[in-house]
């Protein structure tokens, strides 16, 4: 049963990732938390997401803008890896709730006032968004929503947006997964689950690619803003699932 649920969830996650540029991790962490513990679920989440972000980066590589994305990548990686090593010292329950409220507020604001928001792709703005995203990537394996909001406002089309955000996720997923391997969190026994998830997310990506061809950039932006709000609801819920299963396992 677990394999079927994971395959279907990863398939849907692949479609979401291709349309919104993020979101696969948000859905997968909610599902994986039902089968794995507080530490293992984010590691699996990262390994599966790497399987789709690398493919999407390669597919849209001609639209990659290193001047725009390189500095955020560096900041994201530094914060994310630092968080992985210090996660045991952080009150994740309160933090996940605050992050959820922050995403709902931010996504709602962009959804209602998108026409009046004009961000520049400056190192300062990119660095701040990358730091916030890196923090929550290290904590929950969910770092996409904030960077998604930033990049969709500073890029001219969906393909450029997708190329840059997937490049960021590919680099950071590689580094985060390496850190988790070094820490002994991700082990070879998890590889079959990762492979199944990677196959499913890329099959789902084909459906998402077809949908992107049918929608214009303004509709895609609205979908992204809405999904940021949904992420704000799902993040604390997924953390609650993680904690519940961890507590049950320790009883």
């Amino acid at each position: 049963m677990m394999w079927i649920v994971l395959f279907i969830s990863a398939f849907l996650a692949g479609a979401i990732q291709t349309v919104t540029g993020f979101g696969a991790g948000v859905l997968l962490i909610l599902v994986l938390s039902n089968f794995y513990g507080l530490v293992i679920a984010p590691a699996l989440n990262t390994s599966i997401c790497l399987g789709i972000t690398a493919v999407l980066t390669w597919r849209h590589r001609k639209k990659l803008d290193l001047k725009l994305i390189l500095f955020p990548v560096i900041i994201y990686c530094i914060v994310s890896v630092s968080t992985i090593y210090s996660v045991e010292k952080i009150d994740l329950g309160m933090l996940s709730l605050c992050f959820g409220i922050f995403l709902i507020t931010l996504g709602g604001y962009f959804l209602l006032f998108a026409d009046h928001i004009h961000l520049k792709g400056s190192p300062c703005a990119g660095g701040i968004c990358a730091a916030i995203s890196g923090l929550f990537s290290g904590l929950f394996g969910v770092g996409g929503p904030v960077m998604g909001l930033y990049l969709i406002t500073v890029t001219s089309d969906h393909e450029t947006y997708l190329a840059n955000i997937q490049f960021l996720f590919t680099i950071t997923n590689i580094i985060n997964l390496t850190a988790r391997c070094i820490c002994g969190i991700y082990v070879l026994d998890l590889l079959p689950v990762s492979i199944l998830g990677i196959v499913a997310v890329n099959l789902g990506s084909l459906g998402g690619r077809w949908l992107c061809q049918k929608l214009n950039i303004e509709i895609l932006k609205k979908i992204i803003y809405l999904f940021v709000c949904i992420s704000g609801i799902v993040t604390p819920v997924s953390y609650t699932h993680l904690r519940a299963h961890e507590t049950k396992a320790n009883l």
Side-chain angles (χ1 to χ4, degrees):
M1 178 60 72
M2 182 196 77
W3 298 96
I4 296 174
V5 172
L6 177 59
F7 185 90
I8 294 173
S9 302
F11 181 90
L12 294 174
I16 292 170
Q17 185 83 5
T18 305
V19 174
T20 66
F22 63 94
V26 177
L27 175 58
L28 286 171
I29 195 67
L30 185 60
V31 175
L32 290 168
S33 65
N34 287 284
F35 304 106
Y36 297 94
L38 182 62
V39 177
I40 301 300
L44 272 172
N45 190 17
T46 301
S47 69
I48 295 171
C49 288
L50 175 59
I52 186 172
T53 59
V55 171
L56 289 174
T57 298
W58 178 256
R59 182 183 298 165
H60 301 287
R61 63 191 181 279
K62 294 182 179 179
K63 290 284 189 173
L64 185 62
D65 183 355
L66 290 178
K67 292 181 180 179
L68 173 67
I69 200 62
L70 192 57
F71 181 67
V73 166
I74 294 171
I75 298 299
Y76 190 112
C77 290
I78 292 172
V79 175
S80 183
V81 172
S82 299
T83 303
I84 290 173
Y85 281 102
S86 59
V87 68
E88 294 180 357
K89 304 175 183 178
I90 300 173
D91 182 358
L92 297 182
M94 181 58 66
L95 201 57
S96 68
L97 180 60
C98 292
F99 185 52
I101 295 172
F102 170 72
L103 287 181
I104 293 170
T105 304
L106 196 63
Y109 182 81
F110 271 75
L111 192 62
L112 295 173
F113 304 107
D115 294 337
H116 305 288
I117 299 172
H118 302 284
L119 294 178
K120 294 182 178 180
S122 67
C124 181
I128 291 172
C129 292
I132 296 171
S133 292
L135 173 66
F136 289 95
S137 175
L139 292 174
F140 309 112
V142 179
V146 177
M147 281 307 298
L149 285 178
Y150 169 70
L151 286 172
I152 196 64
T153 58
V154 300
T155 51
S156 58
D157 59 82
H158 187 260
E159 190 175 358
T160 301
Y161 160 74
L162 205 59
N164 285 280
I165 195 168
Q166 298 313 307
F167 175 76
L168 180 143
F169 290 150
T170 298
I171 300 301
T172 54
N173 281 336
I174 289 172
I175 293 174
N176 287 351
L177 186 60
T178 300
R180 287 183 164 102
C181 288
I182 293 172
C183 293
I185 297 171
Y186 187 88
V187 295
L188 284 177
D189 290 347
L190 300 174
L191 194 57
V193 181
S194 296
I195 292 173
L196 176 70
I198 289 169
V199 170
V201 291
N202 281 289
L203 288 175
S205 177
L206 297 177
R209 188 179 183 184
W210 174 85
L211 184 59
C212 286
Q213 294 171 348
K214 302 296 180 180
L215 302 175
N216 62 47
I217 185 63
E218 293 305 317
I219 294 177
L220 287 169
K221 283 183 178 181
K222 295 293 184 182
I223 292 173
I224 291 168
Y225 301 148
L226 179 61
F227 203 79
V228 170
C229 297
I230 294 172
S231 299
I233 298 171
V234 171
T235 299
V237 171
S238 64
Y239 173 76
T240 301
H241 271 278
L242 284 166
R243 289 301 304 174
H245 285 281
E246 187 75 8
T247 302
K248 184 178 179 181
N250 292 331
L251 291 178

